[in-house]
Amino acid sequence: MAYGMRRGVELRGAVPLDAADIARLLRQPEDEMAGRLEAIAQDPHSTLMVAADYGPVVGVAALHWHPVLHAARSVARISTLVVAEEERHRGIGRMLLKAASQAARQAGCDSLEWRVEDEASRGFCAATGFAEAGHGFVRALRKRN
């Protein structure tokens, strides 16, 4: 799925050539990342998007959705949303979050969940419309009637 250019940053689906940049962002072994990207690409209930700033990947978001007993529609979950430290405060995280929300709505989801551990991410959740719920945060994707 192509997301286009925003503020000079290209938002797009991840491709195998992004494995090294994503491994660097996540501080994970590069030799394992290609297999992980392939597994997510093959999952019909997941998507992986990246933000590239004139070449290198500077942000990544992984999204997964599944049916739940407590809601009529599937729920989407962000498993990863990371922006390179030197690129933060440029709106890249918000752009990735907006693209993830759009993908979740297209998948038929009504809400977006995100479990975060660190204080900076908790502040980002609060600033972007998430509410604390259980062990994480949740945000509605559709207007309630």
PDB file of all heavy atoms in Angstrom, residues 3-16:
ATOM      1  N   TYR A   3       1.400   5.258   0.541  1.00  0.00           N
ATOM      2  CA  TYR A   3       0.808   6.309   1.345  1.00  0.00           C
ATOM      3  C   TYR A   3       1.190   7.685   0.825  1.00  0.00           C
ATOM      4  O   TYR A   3       0.531   8.647   1.132  1.00  0.00           O
ATOM      5  CB  TYR A   3       1.225   6.163   2.806  1.00  0.00           C
ATOM      6  CG  TYR A   3       0.785   4.837   3.385  1.00  0.00           C
ATOM      7  CD1 TYR A   3       1.657   3.763   3.451  1.00  0.00           C
ATOM      8  CD2 TYR A   3      -0.505   4.656   3.825  1.00  0.00           C
ATOM      9  CE1 TYR A   3       1.245   2.547   3.964  1.00  0.00           C
ATOM     10  CE2 TYR A   3      -0.930   3.442   4.332  1.00  0.00           C
ATOM     11  CZ  TYR A   3      -0.040   2.390   4.399  1.00  0.00           C
ATOM     12  OH  TYR A   3      -0.453   1.180   4.898  1.00  0.00           O
ATOM     13  N   GLY A   4       2.274   7.819   0.049  1.00  0.00           N
ATOM     14  CA  GLY A   4       2.652   9.077  -0.566  1.00  0.00           C
ATOM     15  C   GLY A   4       3.636   9.897   0.251  1.00  0.00           C
ATOM     16  O   GLY A   4       4.160   9.463   1.272  1.00  0.00           O
ATOM     17  N   MET A   5       3.853  11.113  -0.243  1.00  0.00           N
ATOM     18  CA  MET A   5       4.794  12.043   0.384  1.00  0.00           C
ATOM     19  C   MET A   5       4.035  13.008   1.290  1.00  0.00           C
ATOM     20  O   MET A   5       2.974  13.498   0.929  1.00  0.00           O
ATOM     21  CB  MET A   5       5.531  12.861  -0.680  1.00  0.00           C
ATOM     22  CG  MET A   5       6.470  12.059  -1.557  1.00  0.00           C
ATOM     23  SD  MET A   5       7.976  11.574  -0.715  1.00  0.00           S
ATOM     24  CE  MET A   5       8.845  13.110  -0.634  1.00  0.00           C
ATOM     25  N   ARG A   6       4.614  13.251   2.444  1.00  0.00           N
ATOM     26  CA  ARG A   6       4.087  14.248   3.373  1.00  0.00           C
ATOM     27  C   ARG A   6       5.268  14.945   4.015  1.00  0.00           C
ATOM     28  O   ARG A   6       6.131  14.287   4.598  1.00  0.00           O
ATOM     29  CB  ARG A   6       3.217  13.601   4.447  1.00  0.00           C
ATOM     30  CG  ARG A   6       1.987  12.930   3.870  1.00  0.00           C
ATOM     31  CD  ARG A   6       1.170  12.286   4.951  1.00  0.00           C
ATOM     32  NE  ARG A   6       0.126  11.487   4.305  1.00  0.00           N
ATOM     33  CZ  ARG A   6      -0.524  10.507   4.883  1.00  0.00           C
ATOM     34  NH1 ARG A   6      -0.263  10.184   6.122  1.00  0.00           N
ATOM     35  NH2 ARG A   6      -1.441   9.845   4.238  1.00  0.00           N
ATOM     36  N   ARG A   7       5.302  16.255   3.874  1.00  0.00           N
ATOM     37  CA  ARG A   7       6.387  17.056   4.472  1.00  0.00           C
ATOM     38  C   ARG A   7       7.763  16.559   4.059  1.00  0.00           C
ATOM     39  O   ARG A   7       8.694  16.513   4.859  1.00  0.00           O
ATOM     40  CB  ARG A   7       6.279  17.053   5.987  1.00  0.00           C
ATOM     41  CG  ARG A   7       5.012  17.667   6.508  1.00  0.00           C
ATOM     42  CD  ARG A   7       5.056  17.722   8.010  1.00  0.00           C
ATOM     43  NE  ARG A   7       3.734  18.028   8.503  1.00  0.00           N
ATOM     44  CZ  ARG A   7       3.386  17.944   9.762  1.00  0.00           C
ATOM     45  NH1 ARG A   7       4.252  17.551  10.651  1.00  0.00           N
ATOM     46  NH2 ARG A   7       2.179  18.229  10.139  1.00  0.00           N
ATOM     47  N   GLY A   8       7.912  16.126   2.826  1.00  0.00           N
ATOM     48  CA  GLY A   8       9.195  15.644   2.331  1.00  0.00           C
ATOM     49  C   GLY A   8       9.550  14.245   2.780  1.00  0.00           C
ATOM     50  O   GLY A   8      10.636  13.759   2.496  1.00  0.00           O
ATOM     51  N   VAL A   9       8.650  13.593   3.504  1.00  0.00           N
ATOM     52  CA  VAL A   9       8.881  12.237   3.992  1.00  0.00           C
ATOM     53  C   VAL A   9       7.948  11.303   3.236  1.00  0.00           C
ATOM     54  O   VAL A   9       6.749  11.550   3.145  1.00  0.00           O
ATOM     55  CB  VAL A   9       8.619  12.132   5.512  1.00  0.00           C
ATOM     56  CG1 VAL A   9       8.754  10.704   5.993  1.00  0.00           C
ATOM     57  CG2 VAL A   9       9.571  13.047   6.273  1.00  0.00           C
ATOM     58  N   GLU A  10       8.504  10.242   2.668  1.00  0.00           N
ATOM     59  CA  GLU A  10       7.710   9.261   1.937  1.00  0.00           C
ATOM     60  C   GLU A  10       7.162   8.219   2.906  1.00  0.00           C
ATOM     61  O   GLU A  10       7.914   7.585   3.644  1.00  0.00           O
ATOM     62  CB  GLU A  10       8.577   8.572   0.882  1.00  0.00           C
ATOM     63  CG  GLU A  10       7.834   7.502   0.117  1.00  0.00           C
ATOM     64  CD  GLU A  10       8.742   6.686  -0.785  1.00  0.00           C
ATOM     65  OE1 GLU A  10       9.981   6.676  -0.560  1.00  0.00           O
ATOM     66  OE2 GLU A  10       8.206   6.061  -1.706  1.00  0.00           O
ATOM     67  N   LEU A  11       5.838   8.037   2.908  1.00  0.00           N
ATOM     68  CA  LEU A  11       5.202   6.968   3.675  1.00  0.00           C
ATOM     69  C   LEU A  11       4.820   5.881   2.690  1.00  0.00           C
ATOM     70  O   LEU A  11       4.163   6.150   1.689  1.00  0.00           O
ATOM     71  CB  LEU A  11       3.940   7.473   4.388  1.00  0.00           C
ATOM     72  CG  LEU A  11       4.155   8.490   5.482  1.00  0.00           C
ATOM     73  CD1 LEU A  11       2.815   8.914   6.054  1.00  0.00           C
ATOM     74  CD2 LEU A  11       5.043   7.946   6.578  1.00  0.00           C
ATOM     75  N   ARG A  12       5.232   4.625   2.992  1.00  0.00           N
ATOM     76  CA  ARG A  12       4.963   3.520   2.068  1.00  0.00           C
ATOM     77  C   ARG A  12       5.031   2.201   2.823  1.00  0.00           C
ATOM     78  O   ARG A  12       5.491   2.139   3.963  1.00  0.00           O
ATOM     79  CB  ARG A  12       5.971   3.522   0.928  1.00  0.00           C
ATOM     80  CG  ARG A  12       7.411   3.397   1.391  1.00  0.00           C
ATOM     81  CD  ARG A  12       8.387   3.276   0.233  1.00  0.00           C
ATOM     82  NE  ARG A  12       9.760   3.358   0.647  1.00  0.00           N
ATOM     83  CZ  ARG A  12      10.441   2.404   1.265  1.00  0.00           C
ATOM     84  NH1 ARG A  12       9.876   1.256   1.541  1.00  0.00           N
ATOM     85  NH2 ARG A  12      11.714   2.577   1.592  1.00  0.00           N
ATOM     86  N   GLY A  13       4.574   1.167   2.166  1.00  0.00           N
ATOM     87  CA  GLY A  13       4.714  -0.170   2.718  1.00  0.00           C
ATOM     88  C   GLY A  13       6.178  -0.571   2.720  1.00  0.00           C
ATOM     89  O   GLY A  13       6.945  -0.163   1.841  1.00  0.00           O
ATOM     90  N   ALA A  14       6.568  -1.347   3.705  1.00  0.00           N
ATOM     91  CA  ALA A  14       7.958  -1.809   3.796  1.00  0.00           C
ATOM     92  C   ALA A  14       8.253  -2.805   2.687  1.00  0.00           C
ATOM     93  O   ALA A  14       7.372  -3.541   2.246  1.00  0.00           O
ATOM     94  CB  ALA A  14       8.215  -2.454   5.148  1.00  0.00           C
ATOM     95  N   VAL A  15       9.489  -2.804   2.224  1.00  0.00           N
ATOM     96  CA  VAL A  15       9.965  -3.753   1.212  1.00  0.00           C
ATOM     97  C   VAL A  15      11.201  -4.462   1.777  1.00  0.00           C
ATOM     98  O   VAL A  15      11.826  -3.970   2.732  1.00  0.00           O
ATOM     99  CB  VAL A  15      10.296  -3.052  -0.129  1.00  0.00           C
ATOM    100  CG1 VAL A  15       9.044  -2.418  -0.737  1.00  0.00           C
ATOM    101  CG2 VAL A  15      11.380  -2.004   0.046  1.00  0.00           C
ATOM    102  N   PRO A  16      11.561  -5.608   1.212  1.00  0.00           N
ATOM    103  CA  PRO A  16      12.718  -6.348   1.740  1.00  0.00           C
ATOM    104  C   PRO A  16      14.005  -5.516   1.855  1.00  0.00           C
ATOM    105  O   PRO A  16      14.794  -5.729   2.785  1.00  0.00           O
ATOM    106  CB  PRO A  16      12.884  -7.495   0.745  1.00  0.00           C
ATOM    107  CG  PRO A  16      11.496  -7.739   0.246  1.00  0.00           C
ATOM    108  CD  PRO A  16      10.874  -6.361   0.150  1.00  0.00           C
TER     109      PRO A  16
END
